[in-house]
Amino acid sequence: MAEVKRVLDALVRSRRGGLAASAALGGLALIAGLAVRATQREVPAGERPAGTAASGTPFDAAALSEDDATLCLRIMVAASAADGMIDARERERLDAAVAESGLDLAGRQWLARELEDPATIDEIADRVQNRETGARVYAAARLAIDPDTMQERTFLRMLAEALDLDEASVSRVETGLAA
């Protein structure tokens, strides 16, 4: 499913209300940037070149593997369903991202199955091999929802625990979203 990166990119951009586009970053780069922020110590903005992550390296959305992009998309679906349903607004955003990406029939069928039976936190966490991937997965989940229900907040807390992300890492993702 080669289009998964395009779906993920479009979904993040639509979710952030144009933040990614206005910041000259695509959705994948926004996820990567939040993950880098979560896993690296903070470096004052004045001490690093513009367009680079806290680690001093440029965001490289192309380096996101298909498997990692699929994990991010799966967790976004699961996070959207964390409160027991994918509401009309969430479904509309997803449908628009799918249309924008040009997802083929096989990809649409895969996504329909995922929406019908979202992945569990444990299923996702079992596929995460390192802290950076875990931070990307968490950032994708957080971008998918505004944690305005107890179920969504619990989902994010349980996800962070399953991914072994400490409170400081989670806080840096939140700070990155607020920026």
Side-chain angles (χ1 to χ4, degrees):
M1 191 170 58
E3 302 93 353
V4 71
K5 285 185 181 182
R6 290 194 306 262
V7 173
L8 183 60
D9 184 68
L11 187 57
V12 172
R13 285 186 291 107
S14 73
R15 177 68 183 105
R16 294 302 298 163
L19 172 68
S22 68
L25 295 174
L28 296 178
L30 184 56
I31 289 172
L34 288 170
V36 166
R37 179 181 211 136
T39 59
Q40 303 292 322
R41 75 171 182 82
E42 285 295 308
V43 175
E47 294 180 23
R48 65 179 181 259
T52 62
S55 65
T57 59
F59 297 141
D60 186 6
L64 186 68
S65 73
E66 283 291 316
D67 286 344
D68 286 352
T70 300
L71 279 176
C72 288
L73 185 55
R74 290 185 76 201
I75 201 64
M76 289 182 88
V77 170
S80 296
D83 60 0
M85 63 180 250
I86 296 177
D87 65 32
R89 185 171 175 222
E90 291 166 332
R91 184 61 195 229
E92 182 180 303
R93 244 189 358 257
L94 182 59
D95 289 342
V98 166
E100 181 181 327
S101 71
L103 191 62
D104 64 14
L105 179 61
R108 288 175 190 259
Q109 290 171 337
W110 174 87
L111 189 56
R113 286 189 304 273
E114 200 66 32
L115 287 165
E116 189 175 302
D117 186 23
T120 67
I121 289 172
D122 289 338
E123 288 171 336
I124 297 294
D126 286 347
R127 306 272 324 261
V128 172
Q129 301 297 317
N130 56 53
R131 189 163 185 255
E132 183 177 288
T133 299
R136 279 195 298 267
V137 166
Y138 183 85
R142 182 54 186 86
L143 282 163
I145 58 175
D146 288 322
D148 55 1
T149 67
M150 179 62 77
Q151 296 96 332
E152 290 169 337
R153 288 187 294 274
T154 299
F155 178 90
L156 289 171
R157 182 183 47 75
M158 291 172 61
L159 179 63
E161 288 174 9
L163 297 172
D164 293 325
L165 295 177
D166 59 22
E167 287 183 38
S169 296
V170 170
S171 178
R172 287 190 293 268
V173 169
E174 292 297 330
T175 301
L177 288 172

mmCIF file of all heavy atoms in Angstrom, residues 43-72:
data_model
loop_
_atom_site.group_PDB
_atom_site.id
_atom_site.type_symbol
_atom_site.label_atom_id
_atom_site.label_comp_id
_atom_site.label_asym_id
_atom_site.label_seq_id
_atom_site.Cartn_x
_atom_site.Cartn_y
_atom_site.Cartn_z
ATOM 1 N N VAL A 43 17.271 22.052 22.738
ATOM 2 C CA VAL A 43 18.346 22.965 22.389
ATOM 3 C C VAL A 43 17.672 24.296 22.060
ATOM 4 O O VAL A 43 16.743 24.322 21.265
ATOM 5 C CB VAL A 43 19.141 22.455 21.153
ATOM 6 C CG1 VAL A 43 20.170 23.478 20.726
ATOM 7 C CG2 VAL A 43 19.769 21.114 21.441
ATOM 8 N N PRO A 44 18.070 25.367 22.677
ATOM 9 C CA PRO A 44 17.429 26.653 22.385
ATOM 10 C C PRO A 44 17.418 26.935 20.884
ATOM 11 O O PRO A 44 18.392 26.660 20.182
ATOM 12 C CB PRO A 44 18.297 27.666 23.128
ATOM 13 C CG PRO A 44 18.945 26.871 24.227
ATOM 14 C CD PRO A 44 19.157 25.497 23.646
ATOM 15 N N ALA A 45 16.310 27.464 20.400
ATOM 16 C CA ALA A 45 16.129 27.695 18.967
ATOM 17 C C ALA A 45 17.264 28.517 18.366
ATOM 18 O O ALA A 45 17.669 28.287 17.235
ATOM 19 C CB ALA A 45 14.790 28.372 18.704
ATOM 20 N N GLY A 46 17.789 29.459 19.088
ATOM 21 C CA GLY A 46 18.862 30.300 18.576
ATOM 22 C C GLY A 46 20.177 29.571 18.391
ATOM 23 O O GLY A 46 21.086 30.074 17.735
ATOM 24 N N GLU A 47 20.288 28.382 18.952
ATOM 25 C CA GLU A 47 21.540 27.628 18.862
ATOM 26 C C GLU A 47 21.524 26.562 17.768
ATOM 27 O O GLU A 47 22.481 25.828 17.613
ATOM 28 C CB GLU A 47 21.842 26.964 20.207
ATOM 29 C CG GLU A 47 22.141 27.958 21.297
ATOM 30 C CD GLU A 47 22.449 27.282 22.619
ATOM 31 O OE1 GLU A 47 22.850 26.108 22.617
ATOM 32 O OE2 GLU A 47 22.274 27.934 23.660
ATOM 33 N N ARG A 48 20.429 26.460 17.007
ATOM 34 C CA ARG A 48 20.394 25.477 15.926
ATOM 35 C C ARG A 48 19.916 26.158 14.656
ATOM 36 O O ARG A 48 19.128 27.103 14.696
ATOM 37 C CB ARG A 48 19.522 24.281 16.291
ATOM 38 C CG ARG A 48 18.079 24.595 16.476
ATOM 39 C CD ARG A 48 17.300 23.304 16.808
ATOM 40 N NE ARG A 48 15.918 23.582 16.965
ATOM 41 C CZ ARG A 48 15.291 23.713 18.122
ATOM 42 N NH1 ARG A 48 15.914 23.563 19.223
ATOM 43 N NH2 ARG A 48 14.024 23.988 18.167
ATOM 44 N N PRO A 49 20.377 25.670 13.499
ATOM 45 C CA PRO A 49 19.975 26.276 12.239
ATOM 46 C C PRO A 49 18.481 26.136 11.990
ATOM 47 O O PRO A 49 17.865 25.156 12.408
ATOM 48 C CB PRO A 49 20.762 25.475 11.183
ATOM 49 C CG PRO A 49 21.836 24.770 11.940
ATOM 50 C CD PRO A 49 21.347 24.607 13.340
ATOM 51 N N ALA A 50 17.904 27.110 11.301
ATOM 52 C CA ALA A 50 16.485 27.050 10.948
ATOM 53 C C ALA A 50 16.212 25.789 10.133
ATOM 54 O O ALA A 50 17.021 25.375 9.313
ATOM 55 C CB ALA A 50 16.102 28.292 10.138
ATOM 56 N N GLY A 51 15.046 25.176 10.373
ATOM 57 C CA GLY A 51 14.653 23.986 9.626
ATOM 58 C C GLY A 51 15.284 22.702 10.119
ATOM 59 O O GLY A 51 15.211 21.680 9.468
ATOM 60 N N THR A 52 15.939 22.769 11.283
ATOM 61 C CA THR A 52 16.531 21.549 11.810
ATOM 62 C C THR A 52 15.827 21.148 13.088
ATOM 63 O O THR A 52 15.221 21.973 13.764
ATOM 64 C CB THR A 52 18.042 21.711 12.101
ATOM 65 O OG1 THR A 52 18.204 22.707 13.090
ATOM 66 C CG2 THR A 52 18.819 22.039 10.857
ATOM 67 N N ALA A 53 15.931 19.889 13.394
ATOM 68 C CA ALA A 53 15.332 19.357 14.602
ATOM 69 C C ALA A 53 16.210 19.681 15.792
ATOM 70 O O ALA A 53 17.318 20.181 15.643
ATOM 71 C CB ALA A 53 15.177 17.839 14.458
ATOM 72 N N ALA A 54 15.716 19.354 16.968
ATOM 73 C CA ALA A 54 16.489 19.602 18.187
ATOM 74 C C ALA A 54 17.812 18.857 18.161
ATOM 75 O O ALA A 54 18.767 19.260 18.796
ATOM 76 C CB ALA A 54 15.676 19.192 19.413
ATOM 77 N N SER A 55 17.874 17.770 17.399
ATOM 78 C CA SER A 55 19.117 17.005 17.316
ATOM 79 C C SER A 55 20.127 17.660 16.385
ATOM 80 O O SER A 55 21.260 17.225 16.300
ATOM 81 C CB SER A 55 18.824 15.591 16.807
ATOM 82 O OG SER A 55 18.334 15.666 15.479
ATOM 83 N N GLY A 56 19.701 18.722 15.668
ATOM 84 C CA GLY A 56 20.599 19.403 14.754
ATOM 85 C C GLY A 56 20.547 18.850 13.347
ATOM 86 O O GLY A 56 21.263 19.303 12.478
ATOM 87 N N THR A 57 19.684 17.866 13.096
ATOM 88 C CA THR A 57 19.559 17.302 11.762
ATOM 89 C C THR A 57 18.266 17.752 11.140
ATOM 90 O O THR A 57 17.265 17.933 11.828
ATOM 91 C CB THR A 57 19.605 15.762 11.809
ATOM 92 O OG1 THR A 57 18.533 15.308 12.642
ATOM 93 C CG2 THR A 57 20.919 15.264 12.355
ATOM 94 N N PRO A 58 18.234 17.933 9.809
ATOM 95 C CA PRO A 58 16.991 18.347 9.168
ATOM 96 C C PRO A 58 15.926 17.259 9.301
ATOM 97 O O PRO A 58 16.241 16.084 9.357
ATOM 98 C CB PRO A 58 17.390 18.526 7.693
ATOM 99 C CG PRO A 58 18.874 18.542 7.674
ATOM 100 C CD PRO A 58 19.344 17.833 8.894
ATOM 101 N N PHE A 59 14.660 17.682 9.334
ATOM 102 C CA PHE A 59 13.574 16.716 9.304
ATOM 103 C C PHE A 59 13.655 15.965 7.987
ATOM 104 O O PHE A 59 13.796 16.561 6.934
ATOM 105 C CB PHE A 59 12.220 17.418 9.379
ATOM 106 C CG PHE A 59 11.992 18.173 10.654
ATOM 107 C CD1 PHE A 59 11.361 19.388 10.638
ATOM 108 C CD2 PHE A 59 12.397 17.658 11.872
ATOM 109 C CE1 PHE A 59 11.127 20.088 11.808
ATOM 110 C CE2 PHE A 59 12.172 18.348 13.050
ATOM 111 C CZ PHE A 59 11.532 19.570 13.015
ATOM 112 N N ASP A 60 13.563 14.661 8.022
ATOM 113 C CA ASP A 60 13.607 13.859 6.811
ATOM 114 C C ASP A 60 12.398 12.940 6.780
ATOM 115 O O ASP A 60 12.466 11.789 7.191
ATOM 116 C CB ASP A 60 14.906 13.048 6.747
ATOM 117 C CG ASP A 60 15.059 12.299 5.430
ATOM 118 O OD1 ASP A 60 14.216 12.492 4.526
ATOM 119 O OD2 ASP A 60 16.010 11.521 5.314
ATOM 120 N N ALA A 61 11.270 13.475 6.318
ATOM 121 C CA ALA A 61 10.040 12.691 6.273
ATOM 122 C C ALA A 61 10.178 11.500 5.348
ATOM 123 O O ALA A 61 9.524 10.480 5.542
ATOM 124 C CB ALA A 61 8.884 13.583 5.826
ATOM 125 N N ALA A 62 11.029 11.589 4.343
ATOM 126 C CA ALA A 62 11.216 10.476 3.413
ATOM 127 C C ALA A 62 11.830 9.265 4.109
ATOM 128 O O ALA A 62 11.694 8.137 3.638
ATOM 129 C CB ALA A 62 12.091 10.905 2.244
ATOM 130 N N ALA A 63 12.481 9.486 5.236
ATOM 131 C CA ALA A 63 13.116 8.388 5.959
ATOM 132 C C ALA A 63 12.096 7.537 6.718
ATOM 133 O O ALA A 63 12.431 6.463 7.197
ATOM 134 C CB ALA A 63 14.163 8.927 6.926
ATOM 135 N N LEU A 64 10.860 7.998 6.815
ATOM 136 C CA LEU A 64 9.816 7.231 7.477
ATOM 137 C C LEU A 64 9.480 6.022 6.621
ATOM 138 O O LEU A 64 9.072 6.159 5.479
ATOM 139 C CB LEU A 64 8.576 8.101 7.683
ATOM 140 C CG LEU A 64 7.437 7.508 8.492
ATOM 141 C CD1 LEU A 64 7.848 7.350 9.945
ATOM 142 C CD2 LEU A 64 6.215 8.403 8.393
ATOM 143 N N SER A 65 9.670 4.830 7.171
ATOM 144 C CA SER A 65 9.416 3.603 6.417
ATOM 145 C C SER A 65 7.919 3.401 6.219
ATOM 146 O O SER A 65 7.098 3.964 6.944
ATOM 147 C CB SER A 65 10.018 2.394 7.139
ATOM 148 O OG SER A 65 9.238 2.082 8.281
ATOM 149 N N GLU A 66 7.565 2.557 5.261
ATOM 150 C CA GLU A 66 6.164 2.214 5.036
ATOM 151 C C GLU A 66 5.580 1.578 6.295
ATOM 152 O O GLU A 66 4.440 1.859 6.654
ATOM 153 C CB GLU A 66 6.024 1.257 3.847
ATOM 154 C CG GLU A 66 6.147 1.918 2.495
ATOM 155 C CD GLU A 66 4.976 2.833 2.155
ATOM 156 O OE1 GLU A 66 3.811 2.455 2.397
ATOM 157 O OE2 GLU A 66 5.239 3.929 1.646
ATOM 158 N N ASP A 67 6.356 0.717 6.952
ATOM 159 C CA ASP A 67 5.870 0.064 8.171
ATOM 160 C C ASP A 67 5.583 1.086 9.265
ATOM 161 O O ASP A 67 4.552 1.000 9.946
ATOM 162 C CB ASP A 67 6.881 -0.966 8.682
ATOM 163 C CG ASP A 67 6.916 -2.227 7.839
ATOM 164 O OD1 ASP A 67 5.975 -2.460 7.044
ATOM 165 O OD2 ASP A 67 7.890 -2.987 7.975
ATOM 166 N N ASP A 68 6.488 2.043 9.443
ATOM 167 C CA ASP A 68 6.268 3.069 10.455
ATOM 168 C C ASP A 68 5.080 3.958 10.095
ATOM 169 O O ASP A 68 4.294 4.337 10.964
ATOM 170 C CB ASP A 68 7.517 3.920 10.658
ATOM 171 C CG ASP A 68 8.612 3.198 11.431
ATOM 172 O OD1 ASP A 68 8.357 2.085 11.943
ATOM 173 O OD2 ASP A 68 9.726 3.752 11.513
ATOM 174 N N ALA A 69 4.939 4.288 8.820
ATOM 175 C CA ALA A 69 3.799 5.092 8.383
ATOM 176 C C ALA A 69 2.497 4.329 8.625
ATOM 177 O O ALA A 69 1.504 4.910 9.067
ATOM 178 C CB ALA A 69 3.941 5.462 6.909
ATOM 179 N N THR A 70 2.509 3.031 8.369
ATOM 180 C CA THR A 70 1.324 2.207 8.608
ATOM 181 C C THR A 70 0.991 2.178 10.098
ATOM 182 O O THR A 70 -0.178 2.296 10.485
ATOM 183 C CB THR A 70 1.524 0.786 8.063
ATOM 184 O OG1 THR A 70 1.756 0.873 6.648
ATOM 185 C CG2 THR A 70 0.303 -0.083 8.303
ATOM 186 N N LEU A 71 2.016 2.034 10.945
ATOM 187 C CA LEU A 71 1.782 2.071 12.394
ATOM 188 C C LEU A 71 1.152 3.398 12.813
ATOM 189 O O LEU A 71 0.218 3.428 13.622
ATOM 190 C CB LEU A 71 3.095 1.884 13.156
ATOM 191 C CG LEU A 71 3.616 0.481 13.325
ATOM 192 C CD1 LEU A 71 4.980 0.500 14.017
ATOM 193 C CD2 LEU A 71 2.649 -0.374 14.114
ATOM 194 N N CYS A 72 1.663 4.484 12.267
ATOM 195 C CA CYS A 72 1.133 5.805 12.604
ATOM 196 C C CYS A 72 -0.318 5.938 12.159
ATOM 197 O O CYS A 72 -1.164 6.455 12.901
ATOM 198 C CB CYS A 72 1.989 6.906 11.985
ATOM 199 S SG CYS A 72 3.597 7.106 12.778
#
